């Protein structure tokens, strides 16, 4: 009946495989040995399960099958020694054997009394019908309870779980917890004869004993009865999956498949099913509820959870622990009064103090070394930037030097021709001096930028740093047909910074923006479309904000996540240190540097610096670029943004 449409096509293949395996051997194979748990003794096991074994023997005529009745300890020994091929045992015993020896269930018994969920294993707690003092599980405290075996699933473990839920620990709260062993029949007789207050039976055993005429059901009452849907036996607990048929790890897979196919094809009216009180076999059910029960009880595969923790000891013996703590406290106070221990402790404190001072000195040296390395990195970064901009700086210097040379040659020709006018010579020499001053200012800016010195914090206008940095970038912008647009607020508070370091940050951001737009195509009629916008303003918190925006290729998602990592770069020849050093500099000044997408395409790099309050010391020298004979690459717009 069960799974016959699914396994019908497999039956012939399984039988052929077994037959082929049998035909390939010259000697006959031993019979299939099935270990069966005899929870009511060997005679009862033979009466119930022998027809099922005969059914299997008929499906394997060349091999046969035999039943091996076993109790719980015998089942463990048989599986350990591999003296059986399959085991048919209760649900709890299967879970223990599965965890201990790796047996695997291949089918689950479908009892004729199974409930709507297919589960049919539970416990029934019985008392004499005239015991009105025991009504529910909470009344078990101080009573005598008789079960079959500590390892019996339906005969004790399921009932144990229900007692725990009711707040009763059977090993601590009962007057006496006894175990009668198999068969379970004697438990009912002990309750009937008054030898025990309560008995724990496997579900449906009470009805079976009554049907056999061995007890009078009117003499018993089920404690805390439940009525699971579709289940016609009185129980006191939840129901769990029925007995599984499991194969040992050493049992051949071909044989296991053939046996399970044979069981699935058993008709529900077969004599074996009628004798066993079931209607067939089904696929293995979910035994997770059994694992949950065992985990709560800390038995079976979860016995390791019963190891006593410090918290358990504290809960169990808190009175003695409190007394010991008081005694220890008295001893500590007494010991502190001893002069010898005071001296020892004082010496230890001196040693600890020396160790702490040494550790603090080492930490200070480490911090100083880190600061020195940071200064070196900043200096190297500035040199690297100027190295990359060398051709542009040379172009800037060539302009005033070329102008000086031209003025000098003109003056020489006039003197040689004798047509010199003193007033013209005065104008020429003034022009030469202006160009020399201009070249000197360029060289001074470069010298200040690359000079290695200790950071000098002073209050200054950040717009001056912007002008100084832009002056160093004008050559690169002009050569790349790019423009630098300035939108600088004129009411910014001063910031307490190192001028060279902030110029380094702005210069690096502007240079990166120009590099990002290096492949942008220019517009028509000589119009420059490569524009780097520099903006200064105050943010909502009153800090000074500087933004450098470009219209380049923008940043990928990966680049955004790693933008400030050392040695990460999007340039083919970049070192990957510029932005990392910039962030370090800004954060050392109490600010923050970050990147966002430009709405019109490209990237916006922003950083903020805390305001220093009203300026009380001289600001840094203004480094505004001279516009004489220089390409018009800078446009400036003053604003009042806050």
């Amino acid at each position: 009946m069960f799974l016959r449409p699914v396994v019908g096509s497999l039956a012939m293949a399984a039988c052929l495989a077994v037959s082929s395996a049998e035909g390939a051997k010259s000697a006959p194979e031993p019979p299939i040995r099935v270990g069966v748990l005899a929870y009511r003794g060997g005679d009862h096991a033979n009466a119930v399960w022998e027809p099922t074994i005969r059914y299997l023997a008929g499906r394997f005529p060349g091999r046969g099958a035999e039943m091996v009745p076993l109790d719980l300890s015998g089942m463990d020994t048989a599986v350990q020694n591999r003296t059986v091929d399959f085991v048919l045992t209760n649900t709890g015993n299967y879970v223990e054997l599965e965890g201990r020896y790796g047996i695997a269930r291949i089918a689950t018994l479908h009892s004729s009394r199974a409930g709507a969920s297919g589960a049919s294993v539970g416990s029934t707690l019985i008392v004499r019908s005239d015991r009105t003092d025991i009504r529910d599980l909470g009344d078990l405290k101080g009573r005598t309870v008789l079960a079959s075996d500590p390892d019996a699933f339906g005969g004790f473990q399921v009932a144990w779980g229900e007692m725990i839920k009711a707040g009763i620990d059977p090993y601590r709260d009962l007057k006496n917890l006894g175990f009668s062993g198999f068969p379970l029949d004697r438990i009912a007789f002990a309750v009937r004869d008054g030898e025990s207050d309560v008995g724990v039976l496997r579900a449906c055993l009470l009805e079976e004993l009554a049907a056999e005429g061995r007890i009078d059901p009117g003499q018993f009452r089920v404690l805390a009865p439940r009525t699971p849907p579709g289940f016609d036996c009185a129980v006191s607990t939840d129901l769990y999956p029925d007995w599984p048929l499991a194969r040992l790890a050493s049992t051949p897979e071909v044989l296991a498949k053939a046996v399970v196919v044979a069981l699935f094809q058993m008709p529900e009216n077969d004599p074996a099913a009628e004798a066993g009180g079931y209607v067939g076999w089904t696929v293995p059910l979910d035994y997770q509820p059994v694992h949950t029960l065992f985990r709560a009880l800390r038995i079976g595969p979860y016995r390791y959870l019963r190891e006593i923790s410090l918290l358990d000891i504290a809960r169990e013996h808190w009175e003695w622990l409190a007394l010991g703590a008081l005694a220890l406290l008295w001893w500590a106070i007494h010991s502190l009064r001893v002069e010898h221990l005071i001296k020892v402790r004082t010496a230890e404190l001196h040693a600890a103090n020396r160790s702490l001072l040494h550790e603090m000195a080492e930490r200070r040296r480490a911090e100083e070394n880190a600061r020195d390395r940071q200064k070196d990195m900043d200096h190297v970064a500035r040199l690297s930037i100027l190295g990359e901009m060398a051709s542009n700086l040379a172009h800037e210097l060539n302009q005033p030097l070329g102008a000086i040379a031209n003025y000098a040659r003109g003056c020489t020709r006039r003197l040689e021709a004798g047509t010199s006018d003193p007033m013209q010579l005065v104008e020429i020499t003034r022009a030469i001096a202006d160009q020399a001053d201009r070249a000197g200012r360029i060289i001074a800016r470069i010298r200040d930028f690359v000079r290695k010195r200790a950071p000098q914090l002073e209050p200054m206008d950040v717009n001056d740093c912007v002008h100084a940095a832009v002056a160093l970038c004008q050559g690169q912008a002009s050569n790349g047909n790019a423009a630098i647009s300035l939108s600088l607020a004129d009411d910014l508070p001063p910031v307490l910074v190192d001028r060279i370091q902030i110029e380094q940050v702005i210069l690096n951001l502007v240079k990166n923006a120009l590099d990002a737009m290096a492949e942008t195509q220019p517009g028509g009629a000589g119009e420059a479309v490569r524009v780097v916008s520099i903006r200064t303003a105050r943010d909502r918190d009153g800090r000074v904000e500087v933004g450098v925006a470009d219209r380049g290729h923008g940043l990928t998602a990966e680049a955004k996540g790693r933008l400030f990592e050392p040695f990460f770069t999007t340039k083919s020849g970049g070192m990957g240190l510029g932005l990392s050093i910039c962030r370090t500099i800004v954060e050392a000044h109490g600010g923050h540097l970050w990147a966002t997408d430009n709405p019109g395409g490209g990237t916006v790099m922003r950083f903020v610096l805390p305001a220093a309050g009203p300026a009380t010391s001289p600001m840094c020298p203004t480094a505004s670029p001279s516009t004489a004979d220089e390409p018009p690459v800078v446009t400036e717009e003053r604003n009042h943004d806050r």
Side-chain angles (χ1 to χ4, degrees), residues 227-257:
T227 56
F231 193 70
D232 57 357
C233 295
V235 292
S236 306
T237 66
D238 294 333
L239 294 180
Y240 293 84
D242 212 330
W243 286 25
L245 178 70
R247 72 180 183 94
L248 274 66
S250 59
T251 303
E253 184 176 356
V254 174
L255 176 60
K257 289 181 178 179

Side-chain angles (χ1 to χ4, degrees), residues 343-472:
K343 293 181 179 179
V344 171
R345 181 60 56 86
T346 302
E348 292 176 352
L349 290 176
H350 284 313
N353 188 42
R354 288 193 297 270
S355 176
L356 181 60
L357 292 175
H358 177 73
E359 182 179 350
M360 293 174 61
E362 291 292 332
R363 182 173 299 180
R364 282 195 298 270
R365 280 194 293 269
E367 292 174 352
E368 291 173 358
N369 291 336
R371 285 194 295 268
D372 292 340
R373 285 195 296 270
Q374 184 62 43
K375 294 176 186 177
D376 293 339
M377 291 293 293
D378 295 346
H379 187 227
V380 170
R382 291 198 295 273
L383 293 177
S384 175
I385 293 174
L386 287 181
E388 296 177 7
M389 299 174 59
S391 61
N392 300 321
L393 294 174
H395 176 74
E396 287 193 35
L397 288 173
N398 283 335
Q399 289 184 2
L401 293 178
I404 291 172
N406 289 334
Y407 286 137
R409 292 191 190 98
C411 184
T412 301
R413 285 194 296 269
R414 284 180 173 80
L415 291 174
E416 290 176 348
T419 60
S420 60
D421 182 358
M423 294 304 298
Q424 290 181 346
L425 293 178
V426 170
E427 293 297 328
I428 292 174
T429 55
R430 286 177 179 173
I432 292 174
D434 290 341
Q435 294 299 322
D437 290 341
R438 178 185 172 191
R441 286 195 299 271
I442 294 174
I443 295 174
R445 285 199 301 268
I446 297 174
R447 184 180 65 245
D448 289 342
F449 188 76
V450 301
R451 185 174 57 187
K452 187 175 182 181
R453 59 181 180 77
Q456 300 175 2
L457 299 180
E458 56 183 343
M460 60 177 303
D461 187 352
V462 75
N463 291 338
D464 295 340
C465 295
V466 173
H467 283 299
V470 169
L472 294 175

Side-chain angles (χ1 to χ4, degrees), residues 278-570:
Y278 59 88
V279 293
W281 299 81
T282 185
V283 295
L285 297 182
D286 181 15
Y287 285 73
Q288 186 59 39
V290 184
H291 284 274
T292 302
L293 174 64
F294 278 20
R295 187 182 296 108
L297 299 180
R298 302 180 182 181
I299 60 176
Y302 307 97
R303 195 177 303 274
Y304 68 92
L305 296 176
R306 304 185 72 174
E307 297 178 0
I308 299 177
S309 64
L310 294 177
L311 183 59
D312 295 331
I313 295 176
R315 290 174 178 173
E316 185 74 18
H317 307 288
W318 67 269
E319 301 93 343
W320 291 102
L321 290 175
L323 183 61
L326 291 175
L328 182 62
L329 179 62
W330 175 86
W331 178 84
I333 295 174
H334 176 74
S335 298
L336 290 175
R337 295 177 179 177
V338 179
E339 182 180 358
H340 176 70
L341 293 181
I342 293 177
K343 293 181 179 179
V344 171
R345 181 60 56 86
T346 302
E348 292 176 352
L349 290 176
H350 284 313
N353 188 42
R354 288 193 297 270
S355 176
L356 181 60
L357 292 175
H358 177 73
E359 182 179 350
M360 293 174 61
E362 291 292 332
R363 182 173 299 180
R364 282 195 298 270
R365 280 194 293 269
E367 292 174 352
E368 291 173 358
N369 291 336
R371 285 194 295 268
D372 292 340
R373 285 195 296 270
Q374 184 62 43
K375 294 176 186 177
D376 293 339
M377 291 293 293
D378 295 346
H379 187 227
V380 170
R382 291 198 295 273
L383 293 177
S384 175
I385 293 174
L386 287 181
E388 296 177 7
M389 299 174 59
S391 61
N392 300 321
L393 294 174
H395 176 74
E396 287 193 35
L397 288 173
N398 283 335
Q399 289 184 2
L401 293 178
I404 291 172
N406 289 334
Y407 286 137
R409 292 191 190 98
C411 184
T412 301
R413 285 194 296 269
R414 284 180 173 80
L415 291 174
E416 290 176 348
T419 60
S420 60
D421 182 358
M423 294 304 298
Q424 290 181 346
L425 293 178
V426 170
E427 293 297 328
I428 292 174
T429 55
R430 286 177 179 173
I432 292 174
D434 290 341
Q435 294 299 322
D437 290 341
R438 178 185 172 191
R441 286 195 299 271
I442 294 174
I443 295 174
R445 285 199 301 268
I446 297 174
R447 184 180 65 245
D448 289 342
F449 188 76
V450 301
R451 185 174 57 187
K452 187 175 182 181
R453 59 181 180 77
Q456 300 175 2
L457 299 180
E458 56 183 343
M460 60 177 303
D461 187 352
V462 75
N463 291 338
D464 295 340
C465 295
V466 173
H467 283 299
V470 169
L472 294 175
C473 293
Q474 287 181 351
Q476 180 179 356
S478 177
N479 293 339
N481 193 25
I484 302 177
S485 174
L486 302 182
S487 178
L488 308 179
D490 56 6
D491 59 346
L492 297 178
V495 290
L496 188 64
V497 297
D498 179 83
R499 176 177 62 84
I500 296 300
Q501 289 187 347
I502 299 304
E503 288 179 8
Q504 176 181 354
V505 173
I506 299 173
L507 176 61
N508 194 82
L509 298 182
V510 175
K511 183 179 180 301
N512 287 347
L514 292 172
D515 292 341
M517 299 190 302
E519 297 180 359
T520 304
Q521 296 298 326
E527 179 184 356
V529 297
R530 302 186 183 98
V531 179
V532 176
S533 301
I534 305 177
R535 176 179 178 272
T536 61
R538 298 183 69 174
D539 66 0
R540 291 177 298 179
D541 298 327
R543 298 173 298 182
V544 177
E545 178 179 322
V546 180
V548 179
D550 64 67
R551 302 255 179 203
H553 48 70
L555 297 174
T556 63
E558 179 188 4
K560 290 179 181 179
R562 304 181 57 191
L563 189 60
F564 298 101
E565 291 183 8
F567 306 108
F568 174 79
T569 179
T570 57

Side-chain angles (χ1 to χ4, degrees), residues 608-639:
V608 294
L609 296 170
T616 56
S617 58
M619 309 294 282
C620 67
T622 301
S624 301
S626 172
T627 58
D629 298 327
E630 293 182 3
V633 298
V634 178
T635 61
E636 180 174 350
E637 174 185 347
R638 307 294 284 187
N639 61 53

